[in-house]
Amino acid sequence: MWRMARPRKPLLSRDRIIETAGALVDAEGLEAVSTRRLAAALGVSGPSLYNHFRTKDEILDAVADAVSARVDLSMFDGDQDWRAALHAWAHSYRDALADHPNIVPVLARGPGRRPAGLRLADAVFGAMTAAGWPAAQATRIGALMRYFILGSAVASFAGGFVDDRAAYDPADYPHLGQAHLLAERGREVDEGAFETGLAALLDGLALQYEALPAP
């Protein structure tokens, strides 16, 4: 009985392309992704990629959507109130972006036609309107939260300072005497800043919610 020989390399698939492109973006940034570079990494010819994606932008869209798909949306299906749901979602979204900051510029363009991105937007908008927010305000809340979460994932505030006391001469920067300590405490500072900002946003929204006219 004849048996077909197994291919020496795994068959090319959308998932393999997305995974390989995502690894390149994580390691070297968006500019590292090209059809030639991807084909070499996958061990295939360049034209074979076009059986799955028409352009480089489609590949990057797929990588971005794979990150969006990791965001937990279950809090919008339960009994949590809108504020608790937004809080849990914001942390899940930020966690999903934490290991993939280089893809944030693609996500910042909006969901476009990306399925996971659209499900995310739909879940937030639906939960806000179900809680009684007017549709226009629910749209603004979704936008506001995305601005805040994506912005927090682009770069580290604490990491922007150097571990060198001499860089912050008190004669020039009288209030930055401890700035050289920020880098080594980067995670603590950045996570604290995110939580502080998130609490401030939700507190402000809660005040607006209380002022909404009765249905």
Side-chain angles (χ1 to χ4, degrees):
M1 180 177 178
W2 292 95
R3 293 183 179 179
M4 293 182 64
R6 292 183 178 180
R8 294 181 180 179
K9 296 179 180 179
L11 295 174
L12 189 62
S13 67
R14 284 180 61 91
D15 287 344
R16 279 193 68 213
I17 297 170
I18 293 169
E19 181 179 358
T20 303
L24 277 175
V25 172
D26 288 344
E28 302 180 39
L30 296 173
E31 297 77 12
V33 179
S34 68
T35 54
R36 178 180 296 180
R37 184 82 181 274
L38 272 177
L42 289 162
V44 300
S45 63
S48 63
L49 296 176
Y50 297 118
N51 293 324
H52 301 277
F53 295 98
R54 293 177 297 176
T55 65
K56 169 185 169 178
D57 284 343
E58 282 192 1
I59 295 172
L60 292 176
D61 268 350
V63 172
D65 215 36
V67 173
S68 293
R70 299 174 189 175
V71 181
D72 183 14
L73 301 176
S74 63
M75 67 285 296
F76 296 120
D77 297 328
D79 297 327
Q80 293 191 68
D81 67 23
W82 65 269
R83 176 173 177 151
L86 280 182
H87 185 274
W89 169 69
H91 276 281
S92 178
Y93 201 171
R94 186 170 184 265
D95 288 346
L97 298 177
D99 294 329
H100 310 285
N102 290 339
I103 200 64
V104 171
V106 179
L107 287 165
R109 300 171 192 164
R113 299 177 184 272
R114 300 193 293 267
L118 290 171
R119 283 193 294 271
L120 188 154
D122 181 72
V124 175
F125 180 81
M128 295 305 100
T129 54
W133 286 99
Q137 188 67 346
T139 300
R140 297 185 193 110
I141 290 171
L144 168 67
M145 296 299 292
R146 285 187 68 258
Y147 296 153
F148 175 67
I149 297 165
L150 293 176
S152 75
V154 170
S156 164
F157 171 80
F161 295 85
V162 297
D163 184 14
D164 179 6
R165 183 190 293 269
Y168 308 105
D169 189 330
D172 296 319
Y173 315 106
H175 306 296
L176 296 181
Q178 302 298 307
H180 65 287
L181 301 175
L182 288 173
E184 68 180 34
R185 300 175 183 173
R187 182 171 181 177
E188 176 187 351
V189 172
D190 292 338
E191 289 184 355
F194 179 78
E195 189 58 47
T196 298
L198 180 58
L201 284 178
L202 296 177
D203 285 346
L205 289 175
L207 292 175
Q208 294 184 34
Y209 188 71
E210 292 173 3
L212 290 176

